[in-house]
Amino acid sequence: MAILVTGATGTVGRHVVSGLVQKGKQVRAVSRNPENAGLPEGVEVTKGDLAAPESLRAALQGVTALYLIMSSDNAHTALQTDPKVIEIAKEAGVRRVVILMDYEGNPVEQIVKDSGMQWTLLKPVEFMANALVDWQPSIRAEGIVREPFGYGLSARVHEADIAAVAVEALTEDGHHEESYYLTGPEALSRVDAVNKIAAAIGKEIRFVELTEEQARQGWKDQGYEEEDIEFFVQMGKNPPEVGYTVLPTIELVTGRPAKTFDEWIAEHKDEFM
């Protein structure tokens, strides 16, 4: 019986697929572009769209466990998962579901809790991988990072650690009815994080702190709605405690310490050079 992984080509999803393959599990992966998935040999890749739950009905047949993402785990990539996927999964006989969602919660929580399936919720804080999306272009081109709220703290989490918790919850007992808040092992400001990248690549990176007005205009130019921009500003000015409070969850679940930002940089430093 297979384990179905949605978002299989995403930042976290690729690690989930690899982790399940390493454990010898039969993996079926959902991708909107299966021909370009680039997943490990032996993984069955099927086409599906989380915004169109009926497109997943065939993929869910013969599946015992489901890894479901409620929003994109690729930064700045739009995705809206239809909660009806939970109903279709239950009808298909899926017994266990692990859901990646925003740490602030999602209406799907109550739906899955009422489903009768075994469930585990993963609520990570900011991904370490966001540094690539947000900073790589300007670091490579100019040696500069432009950000507002440079000293706000974040307990950034490695995407592979999120996946490791997902793999444990998908394949081992003891995780039913758990809501796991996932953080890295340290809280860093944006300035701290940029300085660490600079030290790793041996290149000076200047941090230019944007004013709130400059940040608002930048987000507006990128096409964000006013509601989103206001959320970004409030998160920057008054970050929620959960976003910068270091928790031991990853080590408790996986049996090994959470990866540091230095470790993440070592894996990706060539991409900043």
Side-chain angles (χ1 to χ4, degrees), residues 43-133:
V43 174
E44 179 188 354
V45 185
T46 183
K47 188 170 184 176
D49 185 347
L50 290 170
E54 289 296 332
S55 71
L56 301 178
R57 195 174 287 277
L60 284 162
Q61 299 306 308
V63 167
T64 56
L66 167 66
Y67 170 75
L68 179 65
I69 59 173
M70 292 311 300
S71 59
S72 177
D73 64 356
N74 286 330
H76 309 319
T77 300
L79 171 67
Q80 188 62 49
T81 298
D82 191 322
K84 190 180 178 183
V85 172
I86 300 293
E87 176 187 333
I88 293 175
K90 182 180 179 179
E91 291 173 0
V94 174
R95 298 194 294 270
R96 180 176 296 185
V97 59
V98 175
I99 303 180
L100 180 69
M101 62 174 57
D102 191 285
Y103 64 75
E104 294 192 310
N106 187 291
V108 79
E109 285 194 42
Q110 196 56 50
I111 295 173
V112 74
K113 288 175 181 178
D114 294 339
S115 70
M117 293 186 286
Q118 295 183 42
W119 56 266
T120 308
L121 306 180
L122 308 184
K123 300 181 177 183
V125 298
E126 183 179 6
F127 292 7
M128 291 179 183
N130 286 0
L132 273 176
V133 177

Side-chain angles (χ1 to χ4, degrees), residues 30 33 42 68 76 94 140 179 204 208-209 222 227 242 245 248 253 256 265:
V30 171
N33 298 295
L68 179 65
H76 309 319
V94 174
R140 294 183 64 167
S179 293
E204 181 182 355
V208 177
E209 184 156 11
Q222 292 174 47
E227 182 180 354
V242 67
T245 301
V253 174
R256 60 164 178 75
I265 296 169

Side-chain angles (χ1 to χ4, degrees), residues 131-244:
L132 273 176
V133 177
D134 295 337
W135 302 340
Q136 181 200 44
S138 64
I139 287 175
R140 294 183 64 167
E142 306 172 82
I144 292 175
V145 167
R146 299 177 180 86
E147 285 275 11
F149 316 117
Y151 290 91
L153 295 176
S154 172
R156 298 166 180 268
V157 60
H158 197 303
E159 56 273 16
D161 283 340
I162 301 169
V165 173
V167 169
E168 286 296 309
L170 286 164
T171 60
E172 305 295 338
D173 294 332
H175 304 285
H176 178 41
E177 298 185 348
E178 294 286 356
S179 293
Y180 289 134
Y181 288 86
L182 305 177
T183 77
E186 57 191 340
L188 298 172
S189 70
R190 290 182 175 88
V191 172
D192 293 333
V194 169
N195 287 340
K196 282 180 173 290
I197 295 172
I201 67 175
K203 173 183 175 180
E204 181 182 355
I205 303 173
R206 187 158 61 93
F207 188 94
V208 177
E209 184 156 11
L210 302 178
T211 66
E212 180 182 326
E213 290 72 22
Q214 289 172 324
R216 284 180 180 273
Q217 186 60 50
W219 288 320
K220 185 176 180 180
D221 292 344
Q222 292 174 47
Y224 286 103
E225 301 290 336
E226 280 301 323
E227 182 180 354
D228 295 325
I229 293 172
E230 191 60 36
F231 174 76
F232 297 156
V233 169
Q234 294 309 313
M235 289 288 285
K237 281 184 170 180
N238 302 294
E241 187 174 353
V242 67
Y244 58 80

